[in-house]
Amino acid sequence: MANKISARNINFYYGSHQALFDNNLDIAEHAITAVIGPSGCGKSTHLRIYNRIYELYRDQRVTGSLFIDGVDVLNEKVDVLELRRKVGMIFQKPTPFPMSVFDNVAYPLRLHYRLSRSEIADKVEEALRGASLWEEVKDKLKSSGLALSGGQQQRLCIARAIAASPEVLLMDEPTSAIDPVATLKIEELMVELKKRFTIVIVTHNMQQAARISDFTAFFYKGRIVEFGDTEKIFTNPDEKQTEEYITGRFG
Amino acid sequence: MKRFESVYPLRPLFFRKLKNHLITLFSWSAVVIAVGAMVWILGTVLIDGLKVITPGFLLNPSKPYGIPDAGIGNAILGTLLITGGAALLAVPCGVAAGIYLAEFGSGTRLGNGLRFCANVLMGMPSILVGLLVYSLMVVPMGSFSGVAGSVALAVIMFPVIMRTTEDMLLMVPASLREAALALGMTRTRAILRIVCTSARNGLLTGILLSLSRVSGETAPLLFTAMFADSWPKDYFTGPTANIPMLITEYTTNSPFEEMHAAGWGAAFVVSAIILFINITTRICFRERHHGK
């Protein structure tokens, strides 16, 4: 399978504190890659480099290269707005904007594309269907996105992210603030979405990683200890640390 | 009542309970004193003020003592003009500065300096602000003016709006900012369209509270707007009628009973305006917490 993203020699710093050490990782296209590891191991930090969202904070800094379709996106010349159109992100807590359900999903469409009113309406429906939310909200498109339940809000955010037609979806613990039933829905959705998108998910939940991902990277103290097929990582890991973590002996 | 057995020596319960009762009593008396004072003030204003309120009192301009059909209409209009002008000056600057502090200025030297200055300015006696504007505007222009009053009130409003804007924007979760940027929005759009919209009730609350704070201010108007017995058509060039100055003049500088009574009437009107703003604020704030 082709690699969509290749991280090479990534080092990351919060001020003078180094959080990532020499990360190398290949993300396969149209697959789900799970990033696991104990709290504070740098897995979210690693993910936040892929759309350069860390740039919001003045003291955060990265060195190394991140190739997406062969282009080093950490290069200053790559426009960050273009990068973020191509690489969408879902956060731990749902982040609906303070506007209607419809406008939430229409926002990225109006932002990036020149579309007619009816084209926007079509694409909003398509995105909401893509996020398995259409049936639940089709009668309340005009009510506030904040009025939905937590699980619905998260799927609204997924709909908003895929409405922009990205190629990569970054998910930073997308179900950790969601109840188990809604979590199951989102997991089913992700398996559906990987046909169209390349998905990287950071998760605390090892069963979740085992259930849905094709590849798994195990992070520990800012380093990638082991990376490989999910099945192999969870049944027969090469590294002792990986085995201890997945069997629950630490972390 | 018999106490339960214990392996350790027991401390008597009496003093712990006594302390509990004393502190409860103390907080209740504090509440009674505070509420009592408020009821007393509002009650006096209501009783003495309502006596003189008539349509003519609210609609006619003030006149020198002895001339019939005097009112406070010019002072009400003048106060609306002066505080409105102040809001026009202070709200855009205050909100913009608050956005800078919350979104760009945290931890920078400029941001910390600005925040410190705002705190100092908020504690500054308002009469000093009046004197400052007097020397900067009234003296060069050669005349008191309503607009000078607006500037003085704006100087008082500015730091309040700036700090509440900052606080309200900082209450917006960082993940919402990141979500906006992650969709490919520019920083400006993310702040104005998403962060500010999400904090809009809080921003409005800050603006309204600062308005209600300055609409009763007297000291800054003493050296700037002054007072006039005419309709406020000279807002930009001459002394302009306003309620706080009218109250001061009528109740402290006049020997006549009718003037004192009119002062109470004006006090009632200004209290009603402030109460109205405060209640509006409460409603905005309630929406913020319960409205989904």
Side-chain angles (χ1 to χ4, degrees):
Chain A
M1 216 178 295
N3 286 332
K4 183 76 176 170
I5 304 173
S6 300
R8 291 290 174 267
N9 308 314
I10 294 279
N11 288 283
F12 192 88
Y13 305 84
Y14 290 100
S16 55
H17 169 75
Q18 186 167 1
L20 295 180
F21 300 86
D22 209 26
N23 287 177
N24 290 288
L25 190 60
D26 290 314
I27 307 291
E29 193 166 16
H30 296 300
I32 298 179
T33 302
V35 178
I36 61 169
S39 296
C41 69
K43 52 194 191 301
S44 285
T45 305
H46 182 89
L47 192 73
R48 290 164 62 85
I49 296 168
Y50 288 19
N51 64 348
R52 283 167 56 182
I53 197 74
Y54 69 88
E55 287 180 354
L56 178 58
Y57 305 95
R58 228 174 307 118
D59 65 330
Q60 300 187 10
R61 184 163 65 79
V62 69
T63 64
S65 308
L66 185 82
F67 297 99
I68 298 185
D69 292 334
V71 178
D72 183 1
V73 299
L74 297 185
N75 191 311
E76 289 291 320
K77 282 180 201 141
V78 172
D79 193 302
V80 74
L81 301 182
E82 278 293 292
L83 170 67
R84 289 172 186 166
R85 182 170 61 80
K86 194 163 163 157
V87 181
M89 190 168 202
I90 313 295
F91 296 82
Q92 179 173 0
K93 288 222 178 93
T95 53
F97 295 154
M99 51 183 80
S100 72
V101 170
F102 183 91
D103 287 338
N104 259 284
V105 184
Y107 209 107
L109 293 167
R110 294 176 181 138
L111 184 68
H112 292 295
Y113 306 106
R114 216 186 281 266
L115 295 170
S116 72
R117 228 170 242 272
S118 63
E119 284 171 315
I120 287 178
D122 288 347
K123 290 197 178 302
V124 166
E125 180 177 341
E126 189 189 313
L128 284 168
R129 282 187 192 282
S132 322
L133 189 61
W134 175 253
E135 292 302 324
E136 290 160 65
V137 299
K138 65 181 176 191
D139 298 322
K140 44 183 174 180
L141 292 174
K142 286 204 172 107
S143 59
S144 170
L146 297 163
L148 300 177
S149 74
Q152 289 175 329
Q153 287 188 5
Q154 194 62 300
R155 276 179 287 144
L156 179 65
C157 294
I158 293 175
R160 190 175 65 195
I162 63 180
S165 307
E167 293 164 27
V168 179
L169 281 182
L170 309 175
M171 300 190 162
D172 192 354
E173 300 185 38
T175 59
S176 64
I178 309 287
D179 72 79
V181 176
T183 296
L184 193 67
K185 264 190 188 162
I186 290 175
E187 286 183 8
E188 285 168 356
L189 173 61
M190 287 194 306
V191 175
E192 195 58 36
L193 287 175
K194 79 172 181 184
K195 293 173 194 159
R196 292 163 58 200
F197 308 99
T198 300
I199 298 177
V200 190
I201 177 174
V202 164
T203 178
H204 254 114
N205 182 332
M206 277 178 283
Q207 286 78 17
Q208 181 170 67
R211 273 195 301 268
I212 62 169
S213 72
D214 303 292
F215 302 96
T216 298
F218 172 59
F219 275 61
Y220 187 58
K221 291 187 174 169
R223 296 173 201 279
I224 299 174
V225 175
E226 190 166 355
F227 172 64
D229 284 355
T230 296
E231 205 180 323
K232 180 169 187 316
I233 296 277
F234 280 92
T235 53
N236 184 24
D238 292 332
E239 300 291 327
K240 198 162 166 287
Q241 275 176 328
T242 315
E243 189 187 341
E244 285 180 353
Y245 181 71
I246 59 160
T247 53
R249 246 173 288 172
F250 82 101
Chain B
M1 199 181 107
K2 191 178 176 298
R3 295 182 71 180
F4 295 113
E5 304 264 326
S6 162
V7 282
Y8 304 112
L10 287 163
R11 289 177 58 195
L13 288 176
F14 175 76
F15 289 104
R16 289 168 52 195
K17 287 183 173 174
L18 183 69
K19 211 194 270 176
N20 180 36
H21 288 307
L22 283 177
I23 289 174
T24 312
L25 186 71
F26 175 75
S27 20
W28 272 109
S29 5
V31 169
V32 169
I33 291 170
V35 173
M38 198 189 78
V39 169
W40 189 24
I41 293 172
L42 283 181
T44 314
V45 170
L46 191 75
I47 291 165
D48 288 342
L50 270 183
K51 278 186 226 157
V52 293
I53 301 277
T54 60
F57 181 74
L58 295 176
L59 295 175
N60 288 332
S62 62
K63 287 166 190 163
Y65 180 69
I67 301 177
D69 295 332
I72 61 164
N74 58 335
I76 296 176
L77 190 64
T79 282
L80 293 181
L81 268 177
I82 292 169
T83 40
L88 222 55
L89 291 169
V91 170
C93 300
V95 169
I99 289 175
Y100 170 78
L101 278 188
E103 300 291 333
F104 304 100
S106 63
T108 65
R109 200 170 282 182
L110 178 61
N112 291 338
L114 205 61
R115 199 176 293 110
F116 178 74
C117 290
N119 290 344
V120 171
L121 203 58
M122 277 198 281
M124 197 183 299
S126 54
I127 194 149
L128 286 184
V129 177
L131 278 172
L132 172 87
V133 176
Y134 177 81
S135 60
L136 289 182
M137 277 185 79
V138 177
V139 172
M141 284 168 70
S143 162
F144 296 114
S145 65
V147 69
S150 292
V151 170
L153 295 187
V155 171
I156 297 171
M157 284 174 80
F158 172 76
V160 180
I161 296 179
M162 176 166 93
R163 288 307 311 278
T164 46
T165 300
E166 183 195 8
D167 290 345
M168 292 301 153
L169 293 185
L170 288 179
M171 275 166 62
V172 175
S175 57
L176 195 65
R177 261 176 210 94
E178 292 179 2
L181 293 174
L183 272 184
M185 292 187 208
T186 58
R187 195 87 191 270
T188 316
R189 182 185 274 270
I191 291 169
L192 293 182
R193 292 292 172 80
I194 305 300
V195 179
C196 284
T197 313
S198 154
R200 63 177 176 254
N201 286 333
L203 301 188
L204 194 60
T205 303
I207 291 167
L208 289 177
L209 280 182
S210 73
L211 258 182
S212 82
R213 150 101 208 267
V214 298
S215 56
E217 279 282 357
T218 317
L221 300 180
L222 203 58
F223 301 107
T224 51
M226 263 309 283
F227 190 76
D229 275 334
S230 57
W231 288 100
K233 52 189 180 302
D234 298 330
Y235 172 76
F236 287 102
T237 52
T240 302
N242 59 82
I243 304 179
M245 282 297 295
L246 182 139
I247 298 173
T248 316
E249 285 296 307
Y250 281 23
T251 54
T252 63
N253 290 342
S254 166
F256 307 110
E257 266 315 305
E258 292 89 333
M259 299 287 254
H260 295 172
W264 280 112
F268 174 80
V269 171
V270 79
S271 307
I273 293 176
I274 293 172
L275 213 60
F276 173 76
I277 297 176
N278 271 293
I279 290 171
T280 314
T281 312
R282 294 284 302 211
I283 292 168
C284 289
F285 210 69
R286 189 167 322 143
E287 253 174 41
R288 176 193 165 71
H289 287 293
H290 303 294
K292 282 208 157 181

